Amino acid sequence: MPSPSEFEIDDLSVELDQEVAALAALRDRDPIHWDAGHGFWLVTRHADVKHVSRHPEIFSSEPRGPWHAFESRFSMQAQDGPAHHRTRNVVSRGFTPRALDGLEQRALRYTDEAIDAVAARGRCDLVEDIALPVPMRIIADMLGIGSQFELFRRWVDAVTGSMAHDATLQTRDDEIAAKEFESYVRSAVADREERPRDDLISIMLRGRQAGVLDSFSRDPFPGVPDGDGVLGFISFLVLAGSETTRHAISQGMRALIAHPEQRARLAANPELLGLASDEILRWTTPVRAMQRTVMHDVELGGKQLEQGSTVVLLYLSANRDPAVFDEPELFRIDRRPNDHISFGFGSHFCLGSNLARMEIRVVIGRLLERLPDLQLAPGSQPTRFASSIVNGLTKLPAVFAPTP
């Protein structure tokens, strides 16, 4: 087994099995590990990650000496306490069962349209052509700005590129996309102020009128419109509503291709898609890690943590903890129980969890049904998303038998 010192959180060249082995060494030998090179604590066990998440009054989500440049205050992810609760209450109105009613049929249509666009070619990029369009179109529809899908795609590419590098927009095209996105979002907000609708922007504006989102202070971030919390939150939802789900879908198909017996069983038993979606979320862990700041001296797992220090919650490790998961090294589409924490835990549990599960289930199900022989393109290599936070892919070339 590797030594705990062999885990390097920013080394994105390591294969999954190597990373999992290094994390297992940390869990076994030093579960609350001081990473001297980075100057933060690594939290690896499922129980400890849950404990930290359960106590935001001790382990704060608010940026105080951020770990990475993009951990900026432009969403409720960077809030705690009453302010977070007020913001969450406003936005959650857009994620009720009633609000989500009918989105599954829309997801089916968008998935079929994405497959139709590539079916005759016999090849595609699973990320760009399938996994990205469906969740992005859904969240754009929920915001009431679905007609600008291609603009959102260009803007997301620009902003995620800044996340992966030095928190600046990388090219002139990125700057143009950011300006066009800002102009469009501002015009959409102005329109909803005059003519409210039944969409997420209108819900947020009602929260602003109630004094909730106006008080949501945030830090500037490249490509995100300056202004009050509504503008920042629209940006956050476009990102969060598309990024993590696309990574779960693309990495989920990669896992099924790598485990043909599980893929064959799922294709023959589509009633298992619900369980399989949660196993995909556990196995892929789209959000690899998040940071918290220690608000006062505290003991965690037998270690003394000082006020002001940073802890990094390693969800990828927690989701492979043998204290919680039977044979965690196995990818099993019917795993039950499956207490993964890919959506976080506690007050920051993902509002869009049910939406994401539905999108994964729909897209994976339609791919298995309509492209049953889909495989990774020979000689190609998946391209990993350059982020220590997100476990995802930017490219996943695939081939299949062309269909009319």
Side-chain angles (χ1 to χ4, degrees):
M1 178 177 286
S3 70
S5 62
E6 290 183 28
F7 177 73
E8 167 50 57
I9 195 167
D10 288 330
D11 184 359
L12 304 182
S13 67
V14 177
E15 292 297 325
L16 178 63
D17 58 348
Q18 295 174 290
E19 184 169 6
V20 167
L23 288 171
L26 278 178
R27 276 196 315 271
D28 290 344
R29 304 178 199 176
D30 193 18
I32 309 296
H33 175 71
W34 175 248
D35 186 326
H38 292 286
F40 49 58
W41 294 94
L42 297 174
V43 181
T44 61
R45 291 188 303 199
H46 190 278
D48 291 328
V49 171
K50 273 195 168 183
H51 176 80
V52 170
S53 303
R54 193 180 285 118
H55 294 284
E57 74 283 2
I58 304 173
F59 304 97
S60 174
S61 298
E62 296 187 7
R64 293 180 174 86
W67 162 28
H68 286 288
F70 68 86
E71 295 219 359
S72 177
R73 187 198 306 266
F74 76 98
S75 77
M76 71 179 180
Q77 181 61 39
Q79 285 183 314
D80 285 315
H84 173 264
H85 183 70
R86 289 193 300 269
T87 306
R88 188 180 179 92
N89 277 348
V90 170
V91 183
S92 66
R93 296 165 197 165
F95 289 87
T96 63
R98 177 178 174 275
L100 298 180
D101 186 41
L103 287 181
E104 182 165 345
Q105 287 303 311
R106 196 169 297 188
L108 280 165
R109 175 162 61 88
Y110 290 160
T111 303
D112 280 334
E113 289 174 359
I115 295 174
D116 289 343
V118 301
R121 300 202 314 249
R123 58 182 172 79
C124 71
D125 185 300
L126 269 173
V127 179
E128 285 293 314
D129 295 325
I130 309 293
L132 174 62
V134 177
M136 184 175 286
R137 291 180 72 179
I138 291 289
I139 197 64
D141 284 351
M142 292 174 69
L143 286 162
I145 48 181
S147 63
Q148 292 295 312
F149 165 70
E150 288 301 329
L151 171 59
F152 300 154
R153 181 199 287 261
R154 290 193 293 117
W155 177 81
V156 166
D157 287 345
V159 173
T160 54
S162 71
M163 289 181 179
H165 295 92
D166 58 0
T168 61
L169 297 178
Q170 300 297 299
T171 68
R172 175 63 177 160
D173 287 343
D174 291 344
E175 294 174 357
I176 292 171
K179 289 179 180 178
E180 291 178 355
F181 177 83
E182 176 168 359
S183 176
Y184 185 79
V185 168
R186 287 188 185 279
S187 67
V189 169
D191 175 73
R192 299 312 187 281
E193 288 173 332
E194 294 293 325
R195 291 174 292 276
R197 304 181 194 175
D198 186 20
D199 58 29
L200 275 171
I201 291 180
S202 299
I203 288 171
M204 286 186 278
L205 287 173
R206 287 194 287 273
R208 186 172 74 179
Q209 292 165 2
V212 175
L213 292 179
D214 252 354
S215 63
F216 179 50
S217 62
R218 64 185 185 85
D219 300 333
F221 186 81
V224 175
D226 290 331
D228 64 27
V230 170
L231 294 169
F233 216 95
I234 291 170
S235 304
F236 170 71
L237 288 173
V238 173
L239 280 172
S242 59
E243 278 299 287
T244 53
T245 309
R246 81 164 180 178
H247 296 312
I249 291 169
S250 56
Q251 292 275 51
M253 276 306 301
R254 185 185 185 188
L256 288 166
I257 291 169
H259 297 83
E261 74 293 342
Q262 295 294 303
R263 176 180 178 173
R265 186 181 179 201
L266 184 57
N269 299 276
E271 68 275 8
L272 294 176
L273 279 164
L275 291 175
S277 296
D278 272 305
E279 179 66 347
I280 284 170
L281 285 160
R282 182 192 76 88
W283 185 262
T284 65
T285 312
V287 178
R288 186 167 171 250
M290 293 291 283
Q291 69 107 0
R292 298 290 187 264
T293 301
V294 179
M295 301 304 293
H296 57 75
D297 293 356
V298 67
E299 180 181 324
L300 180 66
K303 300 292 181 70
Q304 294 297 321
L305 279 56
E306 296 182 355
Q307 179 181 352
S309 59
T310 295
V311 297
V312 175
L313 308 179
L314 291 172
Y315 301 121
L316 182 61
S317 174
N319 279 343
R320 302 296 181 101
D321 191 338
V324 177
F325 303 98
D326 178 45
E327 297 181 307
E329 72 283 359
L330 299 183
F331 177 71
R332 297 201 312 240
I333 60 165
D334 62 347
R335 182 177 294 276
R336 186 190 296 174
N338 193 341
D339 189 23
H340 69 79
I341 48 178
S342 294
F343 291 123
F345 186 76
S347 59
H348 283 281
F349 184 80
C350 177
L351 273 175
S353 59
N354 288 331
L355 176 64
R357 284 188 173 101
M358 179 272 288
E359 291 170 341
I360 296 165
R361 175 169 48 81
V362 166
V363 178
I364 295 291
R366 292 302 278 162
L367 284 170
L368 293 175
E369 181 180 348
R370 293 194 56 189
L371 304 177
D373 62 340
L374 183 146
Q375 296 291 335
L376 300 185
S380 67
Q381 288 294 327
T383 303
R384 188 169 182 176
F385 183 64
S387 169
S388 298
I389 302 294
V390 176
N391 182 30
L393 302 171
T394 58
K395 299 290 181 185
L396 187 61
V399 294
F400 46 86
T403 58

